Coordinates of all heavy atoms in Angstrom, one line a residue:
M8 N 8.9 13.5 -10.6 CA 9.3 12.1 -10.1 C 8.0 11.3 -10.2 O 7.3 11.2 -9.2 CB 9.8 12.2 -8.7 CG 10.3 11.0 -8.1 SD 10.9 11.0 -6.4 CE 11.4 12.7 -6.1
D9 N 7.7 10.6 -11.3 CA 6.5 9.8 -11.4 C 6.8 8.3 -11.6 O 5.9 7.5 -11.6 CB 5.7 10.3 -12.6 CG 6.5 10.3 -13.9 OD1 7.6 9.9 -13.9 OD2 5.9 10.7 -14.9
N10 N 8.0 8.0 -11.6 CA 8.4 6.6 -11.8 C 8.4 5.9 -10.4 O 9.0 6.5 -9.4 CB 9.8 6.5 -12.4 CG 10.3 5.1 -12.6 OD1 10.1 4.2 -11.8 ND2 11.0 4.9 -13.7
I11 N 7.7 4.8 -10.2 CA 7.6 4.1 -8.9 C 9.0 3.8 -8.3 O 9.2 3.9 -7.1 CB 6.7 2.9 -9.0 CG1 6.5 2.2 -7.6 CG2 7.3 1.9 -10.0 CD1 5.7 3.0 -6.7
T12 N 9.9 3.5 -9.2 CA 11.3 3.2 -8.7 C 11.9 4.4 -8.1 O 12.5 4.3 -6.9 CB 12.2 2.7 -9.9 OG1 11.6 1.6 -10.5 CG2 13.6 2.3 -9.4
E13 N 11.8 5.5 -8.7 CA 12.4 6.8 -8.2 C 11.6 7.2 -6.9 O 12.2 7.7 -5.9 CB 12.3 7.9 -9.2 CG 13.2 7.6 -10.4 CD 14.7 7.3 -10.0 OE1 15.2 8.1 -9.2 OE2 15.3 6.4 -10.6
L14 N 10.3 7.0 -6.9 CA 9.5 7.4 -5.7 C 10.0 6.5 -4.5 O 10.2 7.0 -3.4 CB 8.0 7.2 -5.9 CG 7.3 8.2 -6.8 CD1 5.9 7.8 -7.0 CD2 7.4 9.6 -6.1
L15 N 10.1 5.2 -4.7 CA 10.5 4.3 -3.6 C 11.9 4.6 -3.1 O 12.2 4.6 -1.9 CB 10.3 2.9 -4.0 CG 8.9 2.4 -4.1 CD1 8.8 1.0 -4.6 CD2 8.1 2.5 -2.8
K16 N 12.8 5.0 -4.0 CA 14.2 5.3 -3.6 C 14.1 6.6 -2.7 O 14.7 6.6 -1.7 CB 15.0 5.7 -4.8 CG 15.5 4.5 -5.6 CD 16.4 4.9 -6.8 CE 16.8 3.8 -7.6 NZ 17.6 4.3 -8.8
A17 N 13.3 7.6 -3.1 CA 13.2 8.8 -2.4 C 12.5 8.6 -1.1 O 12.8 9.1 0.0 CB 12.4 9.9 -3.2
I18 N 11.4 7.7 -1.1 CA 10.7 7.4 0.2 C 11.7 6.7 1.2 O 11.7 7.0 2.4 CB 9.5 6.5 -0.1 CG1 8.4 7.4 -0.8 CG2 8.9 5.9 1.2 CD1 7.3 6.5 -1.4
A19 N 12.5 5.8 0.7 CA 13.5 5.1 1.5 C 14.5 6.1 2.1 O 15.0 5.9 3.2 CB 14.2 4.1 0.7
R20 N 14.7 7.2 1.5 CA 15.6 8.2 2.0 C 14.9 9.2 2.9 O 15.5 10.1 3.5 CB 16.3 9.0 0.9 CG 17.3 8.3 0.0 CD 18.0 9.2 -0.9 NE 17.2 10.0 -1.8 CZ 16.8 9.7 -3.0 NH1 17.1 8.5 -3.5 NH2 16.0 10.5 -3.7
G21 N 13.5 9.0 3.1 CA 12.8 9.9 4.0 C 12.2 11.1 3.3 O 11.8 12.0 4.0
N22 N 12.1 11.1 2.0 CA 11.6 12.3 1.3 C 10.1 12.3 1.4 O 9.4 11.5 0.9 CB 12.0 12.2 -0.2 CG 11.6 13.4 -1.0 OD1 10.5 13.9 -0.8 ND2 12.5 13.8 -1.9
K23 N 9.5 13.3 2.2 CA 8.1 13.4 2.4 C 7.3 13.8 1.1 O 6.2 13.4 0.9 CB 7.8 14.4 3.5 CG 8.3 13.8 4.9 CD 8.1 14.8 6.0 CE 8.6 14.2 7.2 NZ 8.7 15.1 8.3
M24 N 7.9 14.6 0.3 CA 7.3 15.0 -1.0 C 7.1 13.7 -1.9 O 6.0 13.6 -2.5 CB 8.1 16.0 -1.7 CG 8.0 17.4 -1.0 SD 8.9 18.7 -1.9 CE 8.2 18.7 -3.5
A25 N 8.0 12.8 -1.8 CA 7.9 11.6 -2.6 C 6.8 10.7 -2.1 O 6.0 10.2 -2.8 CB 9.2 10.8 -2.6
F26 N 6.7 10.7 -0.8 CA 5.6 9.9 -0.2 C 4.2 10.5 -0.6 O 3.3 9.8 -1.0 CB 5.7 9.9 1.4 CG 4.4 9.2 2.0 CD1 4.2 7.9 1.9 CD2 3.4 10.0 2.5 CE1 3.1 7.3 2.4 CE2 2.3 9.5 3.0 CZ 2.1 8.1 3.0
N27 N 4.1 11.9 -0.5 CA 2.9 12.5 -0.9 C 2.6 12.2 -2.4 O 1.4 12.0 -2.7 CB 3.0 14.0 -0.7 CG 3.0 14.4 0.8 OD1 2.6 13.7 1.6 ND2 3.5 15.6 1.1
Q28 N 3.5 12.2 -3.2 CA 3.3 11.9 -4.6 C 2.9 10.5 -4.8 O 2.0 10.2 -5.6 CB 4.6 12.2 -5.4 CG 4.4 12.2 -6.9 CD 5.6 12.7 -7.7 OE1 6.5 13.2 -7.1 NE2 5.5 12.6 -9.0
F29 N 3.5 9.6 -4.1 CA 3.1 8.2 -4.1 C 1.7 8.0 -3.7 O 0.9 7.4 -4.3 CB 4.1 7.3 -3.2 CG 3.5 6.0 -2.9 CD1 3.7 4.9 -3.8 CD2 2.8 5.7 -1.7 CE1 3.2 3.7 -3.5 CE2 2.3 4.5 -1.4 CZ 2.5 3.5 -2.3
Y30 N 1.3 8.7 -2.6 CA 0.0 8.6 -2.0 C -1.0 9.1 -3.0 O -2.1 8.4 -3.3 CB -0.1 9.3 -0.7 CG -1.4 9.1 0.0 CD1 -1.6 7.9 0.8 CD2 -2.5 10.0 -0.2 CE1 -2.9 7.7 1.4 CE2 -3.7 9.8 0.4 CZ -3.9 8.6 1.2 OH -5.1 8.4 1.8
E31 N -0.8 10.2 -3.6 CA -1.7 10.8 -4.5 C -1.9 10.0 -5.8 O -2.9 9.9 -6.3 CB -1.2 12.2 -4.9 CG -1.4 13.3 -3.8 CD -0.7 14.6 -4.2 OE1 -0.2 14.8 -5.3 OE2 -0.6 15.4 -3.3
G32 N -0.8 9.3 -6.2 CA -0.8 8.5 -7.4 C -1.5 7.1 -7.1 O -2.0 6.5 -8.1
Y33 N -1.5 6.6 -5.9 CA -2.0 5.3 -5.6 C -3.2 5.2 -4.8 O -3.9 4.2 -4.8 CB -0.9 4.5 -4.9 CG 0.1 3.8 -5.8 CD1 1.2 4.6 -6.3 CD2 0.0 2.5 -6.2 CE1 2.1 4.1 -7.2 CE2 1.0 2.0 -7.1 CZ 2.0 2.7 -7.5 OH 2.9 2.2 -8.4
E34 N -3.6 6.3 -4.2 CA -4.7 6.3 -3.3 C -6.0 5.7 -3.9 O -6.6 4.8 -3.3 CB -5.0 7.7 -2.8 CG -6.3 7.8 -1.9 CD -6.6 9.2 -1.6 OE1 -6.2 10.2 -2.3 OE2 -7.4 9.4 -0.6
T35 N -6.4 6.3 -5.0 CA -7.7 5.8 -5.6 C -7.7 4.4 -6.0 O -8.6 3.6 -5.7 CB -8.1 6.7 -6.8 OG1 -8.1 8.1 -6.3 CG2 -9.4 6.3 -7.4
R36 N -6.6 4.0 -6.7 CA -6.5 2.6 -7.2 C -6.4 1.6 -6.0 O -7.1 0.6 -6.0 CB -5.3 2.5 -8.1 CG -5.5 3.2 -9.4 CD -4.3 3.1 -10.3 NE -3.2 3.9 -9.7 CZ -1.9 3.8 -10.1 NH1 -1.5 2.9 -11.0 NH2 -1.0 4.5 -9.5
L37 N -5.6 1.9 -5.0 CA -5.4 1.0 -3.9 C -6.7 0.9 -3.1 O -7.1 -0.2 -2.7 CB -4.3 1.5 -3.0 CG -2.9 1.1 -3.4 CD1 -1.9 1.7 -2.4 CD2 -2.7 -0.4 -3.5
L38 N -7.4 2.1 -2.9 CA -8.6 2.0 -2.1 C -9.7 1.2 -2.8 O -10.4 0.4 -2.2 CB -9.1 3.5 -1.9 CG -10.3 3.6 -1.0 CD1 -10.0 3.1 0.4 CD2 -10.7 5.1 -0.9
R39 N -9.8 1.3 -4.1 CA -10.7 0.5 -4.9 C -10.4 -1.0 -4.8 O -11.2 -1.8 -4.6 CB -10.7 0.9 -6.4 CG -11.7 0.2 -7.2 CD -11.8 0.7 -8.7 NE -10.6 1.2 -9.3 CZ -10.3 2.4 -9.6 NH1 -11.2 3.4 -9.4 NH2 -9.2 2.8 -10.1
H40 N -9.1 -1.3 -4.8 CA -8.6 -2.7 -4.7 C -9.0 -3.2 -3.3 O -9.5 -4.3 -3.2 CB -7.1 -2.8 -5.0 CG -6.5 -4.1 -4.7 ND1 -6.8 -5.2 -5.5 CD2 -5.7 -4.5 -3.7 CE1 -6.1 -6.2 -5.0 NE2 -5.4 -5.8 -4.0
I41 N -8.6 -2.5 -2.3 CA -8.9 -2.9 -0.9 C -10.4 -3.1 -0.7 O -10.8 -4.1 -0.1 CB -8.3 -1.9 0.1 CG1 -6.7 -1.9 0.0 CG2 -8.7 -2.2 1.5 CD1 -6.0 -0.7 0.6
K42 N -11.2 -2.1 -1.1 CA -12.7 -2.2 -0.9 C -13.2 -3.4 -1.6 O -14.2 -4.0 -1.2 CB -13.4 -1.0 -1.4 CG -13.2 0.2 -0.4 CD -14.1 1.4 -0.7 CE -14.4 1.8 -2.1 NZ -15.1 3.1 -2.2
S43 N -12.6 -3.8 -2.7 CA -13.1 -5.0 -3.4 C -12.9 -6.3 -2.6 O -13.6 -7.3 -2.8 CB -12.5 -5.2 -4.8 OG -11.1 -5.6 -4.7
I44 N -12.0 -6.2 -1.7 CA -11.7 -7.4 -0.8 C -12.5 -7.3 0.5 O -13.1 -8.3 0.9 CB -10.2 -7.5 -0.5 CG1 -9.4 -7.7 -1.8 CG2 -9.9 -8.6 0.5 CD1 -7.9 -7.5 -1.7
V45 N -12.4 -6.2 1.2 CA -13.0 -6.1 2.5 C -14.5 -5.6 2.5 O -15.2 -5.8 3.5 CB -12.2 -5.2 3.5 CG1 -10.8 -5.7 3.7 CG2 -12.2 -3.7 3.0
K46 N -15.0 -5.1 1.4 CA -16.4 -4.7 1.3 C -16.9 -3.7 2.3 O -18.0 -3.6 2.6 CB -17.3 -5.9 1.3 CG -16.9 -7.0 0.4 CD -17.1 -6.7 -1.1 CE -16.9 -8.0 -1.9 NZ -16.0 -7.8 -3.0
N47 N -16.0 -2.9 2.9 CA -16.3 -1.9 3.9 C -15.4 -0.7 3.7 O -14.2 -0.8 3.8 CB -16.1 -2.5 5.3 CG -16.5 -1.6 6.4 OD1 -15.9 -0.5 6.5 ND2 -17.4 -2.0 7.2
E48 N -16.0 0.5 3.4 CA -15.2 1.6 3.1 C -14.4 2.1 4.3 O -13.2 2.5 4.1 CB -16.2 2.8 2.6 CG -15.4 3.9 2.1 CD -16.2 4.9 1.2 OE1 -17.5 4.7 1.2 OE2 -15.7 5.8 0.7
E49 N -15.0 2.1 5.5 CA -14.2 2.6 6.6 C -13.0 1.7 6.9 O -11.9 2.3 7.1 CB -15.1 2.6 7.9 CG -14.5 3.2 9.1 CD -15.5 3.3 10.3 OE1 -16.7 3.5 10.1 OE2 -15.0 3.0 11.4
I50 N -13.2 0.4 6.9 CA -12.1 -0.5 7.1 C -11.1 -0.3 5.9 O -9.8 -0.4 6.2 CB -12.6 -1.9 7.2 CG1 -13.3 -2.1 8.5 CG2 -11.4 -2.9 7.1 CD1 -14.1 -3.4 8.7
A51 N -11.6 -0.1 4.7 CA -10.7 0.0 3.6 C -9.7 1.3 3.7 O -8.5 1.2 3.4 CB -11.5 0.2 2.3
F52 N -10.3 2.4 4.3 CA -9.4 3.5 4.5 C -8.3 3.2 5.6 O -7.2 3.7 5.5 CB -10.2 4.7 4.9 CG -10.8 5.5 3.8 CD1 -12.1 5.4 3.4 CD2 -10.0 6.3 3.0 CE1 -12.6 6.2 2.4 CE2 -10.5 7.1 2.0 CZ -11.8 7.0 1.6
E53 N -8.7 2.5 6.6 CA -7.7 2.1 7.6 C -6.6 1.2 7.0 O -5.4 1.4 7.3 CB -8.4 1.3 8.7 CG -9.3 2.2 9.6 CD -10.1 1.3 10.6 OE1 -9.8 0.2 10.8 OE2 -11.1 1.9 11.2
I54 N -7.0 0.3 6.1 CA -6.1 -0.6 5.5 C -5.2 0.2 4.5 O -4.0 -0.1 4.4 CB -6.8 -1.8 4.8 CG1 -7.4 -2.7 5.9 CG2 -5.8 -2.6 4.0 CD1 -8.4 -3.7 5.3
L55 N -5.8 1.2 3.8 CA -5.0 2.0 2.9 C -3.9 2.7 3.7 O -2.7 2.8 3.3 CB -5.9 3.0 2.2 CG -5.2 4.1 1.4 CD1 -4.5 3.5 0.2 CD2 -6.2 5.1 0.9
H56 N -4.3 3.3 4.9 CA -3.3 3.9 5.7 C -2.2 2.9 6.1 O -1.0 3.2 6.1 CB -4.0 4.6 6.9 CG -3.0 5.2 7.9 ND1 -2.4 6.4 7.7 CD2 -2.6 4.8 9.1 CE1 -1.6 6.7 8.7 NE2 -1.7 5.7 9.6
E57 N -2.6 1.8 6.6 CA -1.6 0.7 7.0 C -0.7 0.4 5.8 O 0.5 0.2 6.0 CB -2.4 -0.5 7.5 CG -1.5 -1.6 7.9 CD -2.4 -2.9 8.3 OE1 -3.6 -2.7 8.6 OE2 -1.8 -3.9 8.3
T58 N -1.3 0.2 4.7 CA -0.5 -0.2 3.5 C 0.6 0.9 3.2 O 1.7 0.6 3.0 CB -1.4 -0.3 2.3 OG1 -2.3 -1.4 2.5 CG2 -0.6 -0.6 1.0
C59 N 0.2 2.2 3.2 CA 1.1 3.2 2.9 C 2.2 3.3 4.0 O 3.4 3.5 3.6 CB 0.4 4.6 2.9 SG -0.6 4.7 1.4
M60 N 1.9 3.0 5.2 CA 2.9 3.0 6.3 C 3.9 1.8 6.1 O 5.1 2.0 6.3 CB 2.3 2.9 7.7 CG 1.5 4.2 8.1 SD 2.5 5.7 8.0 CE 2.0 6.4 6.5
K61 N 3.4 0.7 5.6 CA 4.2 -0.4 5.3 C 5.1 -0.2 4.1 O 6.3 -0.6 4.1 CB 3.4 -1.7 5.1 CG 2.8 -2.3 6.4 CD 2.0 -3.5 6.1 CE 1.5 -4.0 7.5 NZ 0.7 -5.3 7.3
V62 N 4.6 0.5 3.2 CA 5.4 0.9 2.0 C 6.6 1.8 2.5 O 7.7 1.6 2.1 CB 4.6 1.6 0.9 CG1 5.5 2.2 -0.1 CG2 3.7 0.6 0.2
V63 N 6.3 2.8 3.3 CA 7.3 3.7 3.8 C 8.4 2.9 4.6 O 9.6 3.0 4.4 CB 6.7 4.8 4.7 CG1 7.8 5.5 5.4 CG2 5.9 5.7 3.8
K64 N 7.9 2.0 5.5 CA 8.8 1.3 6.4 C 9.6 0.3 5.6 O 10.8 0.1 6.0 CB 7.9 0.5 7.4 CG 8.7 -0.3 8.4 CD 7.8 -1.0 9.3 CE 8.7 -1.9 10.3 NZ 7.8 -2.7 11.2
N65 N 9.1 -0.2 4.5 CA 9.8 -1.3 3.8 C 10.4 -0.8 2.4 O 10.8 -1.7 1.7 CB 8.9 -2.5 3.6 CG 8.6 -3.1 4.9 OD1 9.5 -3.5 5.7 ND2 7.3 -3.2 5.3
A66 N 10.3 0.4 2.1 CA 10.7 0.9 0.8 C 12.2 0.5 0.5 O 12.5 0.2 -0.6 CB 10.5 2.4 0.7
H67 N 13.0 0.5 1.6 CA 14.4 0.2 1.4 C 14.6 -1.3 1.0 O 15.6 -1.7 0.5 CB 15.2 0.5 2.6 CG 14.9 -0.3 3.8 ND1 13.7 -0.1 4.5 CD2 15.5 -1.4 4.4 CE1 13.7 -1.0 5.5 NE2 14.7 -1.8 5.4
K68 N 13.6 -2.1 1.3 CA 13.7 -3.6 1.0 C 13.2 -3.9 -0.4 O 13.4 -5.0 -0.9 CB 12.8 -4.4 2.0 CG 13.3 -4.3 3.4 CD 12.4 -5.1 4.3 CE 12.8 -4.9 5.8 NZ 11.9 -5.7 6.6
A69 N 12.5 -3.0 -1.1 CA 11.9 -3.2 -2.4 C 13.1 -3.5 -3.4 O 14.1 -2.8 -3.4 CB 11.1 -2.1 -2.9
D70 N 12.8 -4.5 -4.2 CA 13.8 -4.9 -5.3 C 13.7 -3.9 -6.4 O 12.9 -4.2 -7.4 CB 13.6 -6.3 -5.7 CG 14.7 -6.8 -6.6 OD1 15.5 -6.0 -7.1 OD2 14.7 -8.0 -7.0
L71 N 14.4 -2.8 -6.4 CA 14.2 -1.7 -7.4 C 14.8 -2.1 -8.8 O 14.4 -1.5 -9.8 CB 14.9 -0.5 -6.9 CG 14.4 0.1 -5.6 CD1 15.2 1.3 -5.1 CD2 12.9 0.4 -5.6
S72 N 15.5 -3.2 -8.8 CA 16.1 -3.6 -10.1 C 15.1 -4.4 -11.0 O 15.4 -4.6 -12.2 CB 17.3 -4.5 -9.9 OG 16.9 -5.7 -9.3
R73 N 14.0 -4.7 -10.4 CA 13.0 -5.6 -11.2 C 12.0 -4.8 -12.0 O 11.2 -5.4 -12.7 CB 12.4 -6.6 -10.2 CG 13.4 -7.5 -9.6 CD 13.0 -8.7 -9.1 NE 12.1 -9.5 -9.9 CZ 11.3 -10.4 -9.3 NH1 11.4 -10.7 -8.0 NH2 10.5 -11.1 -10.1
G74 N 12.0 -3.5 -11.9 CA 11.1 -2.7 -12.8 C 9.8 -2.3 -12.2 O 9.4 -2.8 -11.1
T75 N 9.1 -1.5 -13.0 CA 7.9 -0.9 -12.5 C 6.8 -1.9 -12.2 O 6.1 -1.8 -11.2 CB 7.4 0.1 -13.6 OG1 8.4 1.1 -13.8 CG2 6.1 0.8 -13.2
S76 N 6.6 -2.8 -13.1 CA 5.5 -3.8 -12.9 C 5.7 -4.6 -11.6 O 4.7 -4.9 -10.9 CB 5.2 -4.7 -14.1 OG 6.4 -5.5 -14.3
H77 N 6.9 -5.0 -11.3 CA 7.2 -5.7 -10.1 C 6.9 -4.9 -8.9 O 6.4 -5.3 -7.9 CB 8.7 -6.2 -10.1 CG 9.1 -6.8 -8.8 ND1 8.7 -8.0 -8.4 CD2 9.8 -6.3 -7.8 CE1 9.2 -8.3 -7.2 NE2 9.9 -7.2 -6.8
L78 N 7.3 -3.6 -8.9 CA 7.1 -2.7 -7.8 C 5.6 -2.4 -7.6 O 5.2 -2.3 -6.4 CB 7.9 -1.4 -8.0 CG 9.4 -1.7 -7.9 CD1 10.2 -0.4 -8.3 CD2 9.9 -2.2 -6.6
N79 N 4.9 -2.2 -8.7 CA 3.4 -2.1 -8.5 C 2.8 -3.3 -7.9 O 2.0 -3.2 -7.0 CB 2.8 -1.8 -9.9 CG 3.0 -0.4 -10.4 OD1 3.0 0.6 -9.6 ND2 3.2 -0.2 -11.6
S80 N 3.3 -4.5 -8.3 CA 2.8 -5.7 -7.8 C 3.1 -5.8 -6.3 O 2.3 -6.3 -5.5 CB 3.4 -6.9 -8.5 OG 2.9 -6.9 -9.8
W81 N 4.3 -5.3 -5.9 CA 4.7 -5.4 -4.5 C 3.8 -4.5 -3.7 O 3.4 -4.9 -2.6 CB 6.2 -4.9 -4.5 CG 6.8 -4.8 -3.1 CD1 7.2 -5.8 -2.3 CD2 7.1 -3.6 -2.4 NE1 7.7 -5.3 -1.1 CE2 7.6 -3.9 -1.1 CE3 6.9 -2.2 -2.6 CZ2 8.0 -3.0 -0.2 CZ3 7.3 -1.3 -1.7 CH2 7.8 -1.7 -0.5
V82 N 3.5 -3.3 -4.1 CA 2.6 -2.4 -3.4 C 1.2 -3.1 -3.3 O 0.6 -3.1 -2.2 CB 2.5 -1.0 -4.1 CG1 1.4 -0.2 -3.5 CG2 3.8 -0.3 -4.0
Y83 N 0.7 -3.6 -4.4 CA -0.6 -4.2 -4.3 C -0.6 -5.5 -3.4 O -1.6 -5.8 -2.8 CB -1.1 -4.6 -5.7 CG -1.8 -3.4 -6.4 CD1 -1.1 -2.4 -7.0 CD2 -3.2 -3.3 -6.3 CE1 -1.7 -1.3 -7.6 CE2 -3.8 -2.2 -6.9 CZ -3.1 -1.2 -7.5 OH -3.7 -0.1 -8.1
K84 N 0.5 -6.2 -3.4 CA 0.6 -7.4 -2.5 C 0.5 -7.0 -1.0 O -0.1 -7.6 -0.2 CB 1.9 -8.2 -2.8 CG 2.0 -9.5 -2.1 CD 0.9 -10.4 -2.7 CE 1.2 -11.8 -2.1 NZ 0.1 -12.7 -2.5
I85 N 1.1 -5.9 -0.7 CA 1.1 -5.4 0.7 C -0.4 -5.0 1.0 O -0.9 -5.4 2.1 CB 2.0 -4.1 0.8 CG1 3.4 -4.5 0.8 CG2 1.7 -3.4 2.2 CD1 4.4 -3.3 0.7
A86 N -1.1 -4.4 0.1 CA -2.5 -4.0 0.3 C -3.4 -5.3 0.4 O -4.3 -5.4 1.3 CB -3.0 -3.1 -0.8
T87 N -3.1 -6.2 -0.4 CA -3.9 -7.5 -0.4 C -3.7 -8.2 0.9 O -4.7 -8.7 1.5 CB -3.5 -8.4 -1.6 OG1 -3.8 -7.7 -2.8 CG2 -4.3 -9.7 -1.6
N88 N -2.5 -8.4 1.3 CA -2.2 -9.1 2.5 C -2.8 -8.4 3.7 O -3.3 -9.0 4.6 CB -0.7 -9.2 2.7 CG -0.1 -10.3 1.8 OD1 -0.8 -11.1 1.2 ND2 1.2 -10.2 1.6
A89 N -2.7 -7.0 3.8 CA -3.3 -6.3 4.9 C -4.8 -6.5 4.9 O -5.4 -6.6 6.0 CB -2.9 -4.8 4.8
S90 N -5.4 -6.5 3.7 CA -6.9 -6.7 3.6 C -7.3 -8.1 4.1 O -8.2 -8.2 4.8 CB -7.3 -6.5 2.1 OG -7.0 -5.2 1.7
L91 N -6.5 -9.1 3.7 CA -6.8 -10.5 4.1 C -6.6 -10.6 5.6 O -7.4 -11.3 6.3 CB -6.0 -11.5 3.3 CG -6.3 -11.5 1.8 CD1 -5.4 -12.4 1.0 CD2 -7.8 -11.9 1.5
D92 N -5.6 -10.0 6.1 CA -5.3 -10.1 7.6 C -6.5 -9.5 8.3 O -6.9 -10.0 9.3 CB -4.0 -9.3 7.9 CG -2.8 -10.0 7.5 OD1 -2.9 -11.2 7.2 OD2 -1.7 -9.4 7.5
S93 N -7.1 -8.4 7.8 CA -8.2 -7.7 8.4 C -9.4 -8.6 8.4 O -10.1 -8.7 9.4 CB -8.5 -6.4 7.7 OG -9.7 -5.8 8.2
L94 N -9.7 -9.3 7.3 CA -10.8 -10.2 7.2 C -10.6 -11.4 8.2 O -11.6 -11.8 8.8 CB -10.9 -10.8 5.8 CG -11.4 -9.8 4.7 CD1 -11.4 -10.5 3.3 CD2 -12.8 -9.3 5.0
R95 N -9.4 -11.9 8.3 CA -9.1 -13.0 9.2 C -9.4 -12.6 10.6 O -10.0 -13.3 11.5 CB -7.7 -13.5 9.1 CG -7.5 -14.5 7.9 CD -6.2 -15.2 7.9 NE -5.1 -14.5 7.4 CZ -4.8 -14.2 6.2 NH1 -5.5 -14.6 5.2 NH2 -3.7 -13.5 5.9
K96 N -8.9 -11.4 10.9 CA -9.1 -10.8 12.3 C -10.6 -10.7 12.6 O -11.0 -11.1 13.7 CB -8.4 -9.5 12.4 CG -8.5 -8.8 13.8 CD -7.8 -7.5 13.8 CE -8.1 -6.8 15.1 NZ -7.6 -5.4 15.1
T97 N -11.3 -10.1 11.7 CA -12.8 -9.9 12.0 C -13.5 -11.2 12.1 O -14.5 -11.4 12.8 CB -13.4 -9.0 11.0 OG1 -13.2 -9.5 9.7 CG2 -12.9 -7.6 11.1
S98 N -13.1 -12.2 11.3 CA -13.8 -13.5 11.4 C -13.5 -14.3 12.7 O -14.3 -15.1 13.1 CB -13.4 -14.4 10.2 OG -12.0 -14.9 10.3
R99 N -12.4 -13.9 13.4 CA -12.1 -14.6 14.6 C -12.7 -13.9 15.8 O -12.8 -14.4 16.9 CB -10.6 -14.6 14.9 CG -9.9 -15.6 14.0 CD -8.4 -15.8 14.4 NE -7.7 -14.5 14.5 CZ -6.7 -14.1 13.7 NH1 -6.3 -15.0 12.8 NH2 -6.1 -13.0 13.8
E100 N -13.2 -12.6 15.6 CA -13.8 -11.9 16.7 C -15.2 -12.5 17.0 O -15.9 -12.8 16.1 CB -13.9 -10.4 16.3 CG -12.6 -9.7 16.2 CD -12.8 -8.2 15.8 OE1 -13.9 -7.8 15.5 OE2 -11.7 -7.6 15.8
P101 N -15.5 -12.6 18.3 CA -16.8 -13.1 18.7 C -17.9 -12.1 18.4 O -17.7 -10.9 18.3 CB -16.7 -13.3 20.2 CG -15.5 -12.5 20.7 CD -14.6 -12.3 19.5
D102 N -19.0 -12.7 18.0 CA -20.2 -11.8 17.6 C -20.8 -11.1 18.8 O -20.9 -11.1 19.8 CB -21.3 -12.6 16.9 CG -20.8 -13.1 15.6 OD1 -20.0 -12.4 15.0 OD2 -21.2 -14.2 15.2

């Protein structure tokens, strides 16, 4: 099961093996993407975890009819938004 559409369908059904396969397939790329935004490896790992949990929680909402590139973009958008939220949060914290 290597197609993102099939993985998300299985994740939406609660398939833990599908989640593991998703994580293994996306971990390195997502982490690199997140680190390019937040510039902090520790925070990037936290955001990676948050991103994966959001994918699991919202897999049933993904528009599976739009194809692989749309679903990849959806995953990366979740990661980007979580990264930007983290930056906004840290910029509001007092020094």
Side-chain angles (χ1 to χ4, degrees):
M8 185 183 333
D9 57 2
N10 181 321
I11 183 70
T12 304
E13 295 304 315
L14 283 175
L15 288 175
K16 284 179 185 177
I18 290 169
R20 290 190 307 267
N22 184 320
K23 291 179 181 167
M24 288 179 58
F26 172 77
N27 290 339
Q28 191 172 352
F29 165 81
Y30 187 84
E31 289 171 7
Y33 277 81
E34 174 188 22
T35 302
R36 293 179 287 165
L37 280 176
L38 189 59
R39 185 175 34 247
H40 174 69
I41 294 165
K42 283 193 319 191
S43 76
I44 298 169
V45 299
K46 313 289 191 232
N47 180 301
E48 189 165 4
E49 185 177 323
I50 292 171
F52 274 105
E53 291 174 13
I54 294 168
L55 174 64
H56 177 74
E57 178 183 341
T58 298
C59 289
M60 293 302 101
K61 286 181 178 182
V62 167
V63 168
K64 181 179 178 185
N65 295 302
H67 68 284
K68 296 179 184 178
D70 186 354
L71 302 177
S72 67
R73 297 201 47 201
T75 300
S76 63
H77 171 75
L78 294 171
N79 284 324
S80 295
W81 178 74
V82 171
Y83 275 84
K84 188 68 173 173
I85 291 171
T87 299
N88 288 342
S90 299
L91 295 174
D92 287 347
S93 175
L94 289 175
R95 283 193 280 283
K96 180 182 173 188
T97 55
S98 71
R99 287 192 304 248
E100 291 177 356
D102 292 328

